[in-house]
Amino acid sequence: MQRRTFLSSLPAGWTAALAAATARAQSTPAIPAPYHDAASRLIGAALTDDGGWRKLEYLCDRIGNRIAGSASLERAIEWAAAELRREGLDNVQTPPVKVPHWVRGEESARLVAPIDSPVFMLGLGGSIATPPEGITAEVVAVSSNDELEALGADRVRGRIVLYNVPWQGYGRTVQYRSTGAIRAAKLGAVASLVRSVTPLSLRDPHTGAMQYDPAVPPIPHAAVSVEDALRIGRLIDAGNTVRLYVKMSAETLPDADSANVIAELPGRETPGEIVLLGGHIDSWDVGQGAQDDGCGIVACWQAVVLMKQLGLVPRRTVRLVFWTDEEHGGSGATAYRKWVGDALKNHVAAIEMDSGAERPTGFGCSIVGASDDVMNRALLRAKQIGALLEGIGAGEIVKGGGDADIGPLMREGVPGFGHRTVGQRYFEWHHSQADTLDKIDPRDFRLNVAALAVLAFVLADMPGRIDS
């Protein structure tokens, strides 16, 4: 239904907007005229394409979530490699990767005092289990690490710590999920909980990775819904002794066999030089992994397919990579770096989409270790490419970009581009049961395909490297 109605839902004046953007781009001498035509063709093809959406639909509805070590992740890898070969992309490979294998198992939580009531929770990735009989203990709630330290061991020992921390943006708030168990255990807590790292909840907890310190005894660590965290906080503030029961049967099994997925559109002149784009094929074990990051791998995939279908073969090779295990340690990114070896020097640029498929606004660009002169020249060239995307609102190029899977490449100087969107609702769905296909607007998805296709094609075809 969504595919059939897409064309009729395009905004009035779309063609005129593209024409105006092309005219503005043509005033920039650094972008030769053939790129205006190529960009227009790629954008037009992306906005009328059904193939990418069909792939995303299959991945989400037929395969589903794909946590590292799971059978569903391996089905996704096998399916993607088979489809890439069927579509005629070159050098399709699945280099092996060992990945962590954490299994959630059964889990539950409930208030037992001052009332009896269920608590919606999700164990955090890597957490240990509770004892088989579960843990029942008093809850102490804090809104910061400073508050926890101020309580001291006498107030924390033998209790469950709840980090009831308001949303302050992902970067600031996620620390309580990542290291909360360590801090609580140092003071003698028997378990720790974190208010889900999200600005909005419909009593839907959000999972994610967490860490232990070998020097500190591990304790169970889980996320609870925003509503449950707020309720517990109010009960404590009203002078009640709050007791909670939590039971988790999580376990970490030996590392499992997995793989990255790689495919290429070989360059016509310098095929040894690489422009890489991709996302991560794994997800958490809840929802469908639609926004994080099914849309990313499929949008990058379709961007390359459209180049091939249009006969737009760039000067350099465009390499597509679906990394495994981004969520639980980044072993796929590390393995890719080892796999390329000395050929890293031939990577002209790396593009990653791992911020969801809301309406795209552009890309962030970084070159680690570059001089100001090199960075400024690269940024200017990137902005000139961005001018080709102004007509679809995706032409903003800013300094600073790149995500986890291209991190190992960027740390060694490969220019990195991080995909950017309006980011209005992504963290409402992130790592939760709500990360499902219906949260993706097909039109926004196609805009992302268009933006990725234009950036990747021009980076791969321009006479010089972006950092030259």
Side-chain angles (χ1 to χ4, degrees), residues 185-408:
K186 283 181 178 179
L187 296 176
V190 295
S192 51
L193 304 172
V194 60
R195 173 168 153 180
S196 285
V197 184
T198 177
L200 179 67
S201 171
L202 295 176
R203 216 170 181 195
D204 185 15
H206 295 229
T207 190
M210 51 83 64
Q211 302 168 14
Y212 287 124
D213 182 337
V216 179
I219 58 175
H221 193 39
V224 298
S225 74
V226 172
E227 294 88 342
D228 284 303
L230 290 171
R231 182 188 194 186
I232 292 170
R234 289 193 302 270
L235 288 169
I236 293 172
D237 289 344
N240 297 284
T241 297
V242 175
R243 292 178 63 79
L244 187 78
Y245 169 80
V246 59
K247 184 176 182 180
M248 299 167 61
S249 59
E251 59 180 330
T252 298
L253 301 176
D255 287 354
D257 293 321
S258 189
N260 291 328
V261 181
I262 297 171
E264 294 178 343
L265 181 63
R268 68 179 190 276
E269 290 184 10
T270 54
E273 292 189 334
I274 303 296
V275 169
L276 177 152
L277 76 162
H280 64 88
I281 194 166
D282 66 304
S283 74
W284 283 105
D285 57 335
V286 291
Q288 294 179 327
Q291 291 277 5
D292 187 17
D293 185 30
C295 64
I297 64 167
V298 177
C300 291
W301 179 351
Q302 203 62 11
V304 179
V305 167
L306 292 180
M307 293 180 208
K308 181 177 178 64
Q309 289 177 349
L310 293 171
L312 293 171
V313 181
R315 179 176 277 106
R316 303 175 183 87
T317 291
V318 177
R319 177 177 290 166
L320 186 65
V321 181
F322 305 157
W323 290 277
T324 195
D325 182 41
E326 186 271 349
E327 296 290 6
H328 210 151
S331 55
T334 301
Y336 177 81
R337 171 61 191 95
K338 291 180 181 177
W339 183 78
V340 299
D342 291 340
L344 176 74
K345 64 181 179 295
N346 298 325
H347 283 60
V348 172
I351 307 164
E352 184 173 354
M353 178 174 169
D354 188 17
S355 52
E358 293 179 88
R359 180 174 59 80
T361 59
F363 297 88
C365 175
S366 292
I367 308 177
V368 176
S371 67
D372 289 344
D373 284 347
V374 169
M375 186 66 236
N376 290 336
R377 286 198 301 272
L379 199 60
L380 176 60
R381 293 184 181 116
K383 287 178 181 289
Q384 291 162 344
I385 300 172
L388 298 168
L389 295 168
E390 287 181 358
I392 59 170
E396 181 182 37
I397 306 294
V398 299
K399 185 176 181 180
D403 289 298
D405 280 321
I406 61 174

